[in-house]
Amino acid sequence: MGWWWQLLLGLWAVPPTWAGPELLNICMNAKPHKPEPSPEDKLYEECIPWKHNACCTRTSWEAHLDVALLYNFSLVHCGLLMPGCQKHFLQAICFYECSPNLGPWIQQADGRGQAERILDAPLCQEDCEEWWTDCHTSYTCKSNWLGGWTWSRGKHRCPAGSLCHPFSHYFPTPADLCEKIWGNSFKASPERRNSGRCLQKWFEPGRDNPNVAVAHLFASPGPSWKLSYRLMAFFLSLSLLS
């Protein structure tokens, strides 16, 4: 057997390996995240699902205020949100602050006092649909809440000329809400919950975190057999020329 065939067989026998472990079980470099995830036994209400492994701290109660102390941002800039709508926002805030499974979507931030942010994290179809359904009669004055506000006396206000309308005016579809509300932090996925291919912004406390497997999937760019296949083709062409 020629040397090249021994090499080809050796390459083919290499088992698949996966990249991206540095993207798993991490916290982003942003307020109010911890340097690394750990258990937190006193998380508050909508943040409780992450108590076994969290990037947030027991101060998660601050996220449940109408005006968040950390961001000085008010959910009630156009009046009170409907209770069901407000609950979705609290879940989304807890998801952002507490989840250690956002590594594959962490990007460098473009200012605003944060070193990192998430971009295009794929939310499950039901998450976007339920969020939109429960919020479409609440009011806001902007489609992108990540910036562009008028600040007065340390608080944000609707920009001049931006009128308060029902959410359905600024977000005609569930995908619009998921993707625009925080500047493409989230992406509306066509995948459904428990598919293993989309993220849930909330899950029942006491159940296994379904987003762990999703992070593993998206942190894995591809198996090494793809490289092995190219090398095999290359050495095969050499053998034909020899």
Side-chain angles (χ1 to χ4, degrees):
M1 181 182 295
W3 65 269
W4 55 83
W5 287 112
Q6 296 180 35
L7 180 58
L8 292 178
L9 289 175
L11 287 171
W12 188 257
V14 174
T17 57
W18 300 90
E22 69 279 0
L23 300 177
L24 301 174
N25 196 40
I26 63 172
C27 302
M28 75 180 82
N29 182 11
K31 297 179 181 179
H33 299 75
K34 299 187 298 188
E36 58 185 34
S38 61
E40 290 285 348
D41 61 354
K42 294 184 179 180
L43 294 185
Y44 193 71
E45 291 189 2
E46 304 303 330
C47 295
I48 289 176
W50 289 274
K51 67 179 182 180
H52 297 299
N53 194 34
C55 288
C56 57
T57 68
R58 62 188 63 189
T59 58
S60 62
W61 64 270
E62 294 177 359
H64 293 70
L65 300 176
D66 288 337
V67 178
L69 297 180
L70 176 67
Y71 310 107
N72 209 17
F73 181 85
S74 174
L75 292 175
V76 296
H77 50 271
C78 281
L80 293 174
L81 299 177
M82 297 296 290
C85 179
Q86 183 170 3
K87 185 175 182 178
H88 283 285
F89 278 98
L90 297 181
Q91 291 174 353
I93 292 170
C94 287
F95 175 53
Y96 167 78
E97 293 186 359
C98 301
S99 177
N101 310 119
L102 295 172
W105 302 277
I106 292 177
Q107 303 284 334
Q108 293 298 310
D110 56 356
R112 301 191 182 94
Q114 305 278 53
E116 294 179 334
R117 60 164 295 187
I118 56 171
L119 185 67
D120 292 334
L123 286 191
C124 295
Q125 181 176 328
E126 297 97 322
D127 286 64
C128 293
E129 290 176 344
E130 293 172 6
W131 195 354
W132 184 84
T133 297
D134 290 339
C135 286
H136 77 282
T137 57
S138 291
Y139 282 73
T140 186
C141 59
K142 276 173 53 58
S143 59
N144 182 2
W145 289 13
L146 202 58
W149 298 95
T150 296
W151 289 86
S152 175
R153 298 180 180 178
K155 296 182 179 180
H156 76 283
R157 315 282 181 184
C158 293
S162 296
L163 302 178
C164 292
H165 291 289
F167 268 52
S168 54
H169 174 84
Y170 289 101
F171 309 109
T173 68
D176 287 324
L177 174 58
C178 268
E179 296 178 358
K180 293 179 180 179
I181 191 73
W182 279 323
N184 298 111
S185 294
F186 302 133
K187 183 177 180 62
S189 172
E191 305 291 347
R192 305 190 74 85
R193 292 173 187 162
N194 301 317
S195 66
R197 296 186 294 273
C198 62
L199 297 165
Q200 295 179 210
K201 65 177 173 58
W202 193 83
F203 54 94
E204 289 290 339
R207 293 190 177 183
D208 291 338
N209 184 343
N211 297 327
V212 173
V214 181
H216 274 270
L217 175 67
F218 280 85
S220 305
S224 63
W225 59 260
K226 291 184 178 180
L227 176 60
S228 299
Y229 182 82
R230 293 193 199 88
L231 290 174
M232 289 175 65
F234 172 72
F235 284 113
L236 181 59
S237 64
L238 288 182
S239 69
L240 294 176
L241 294 174
S242 62

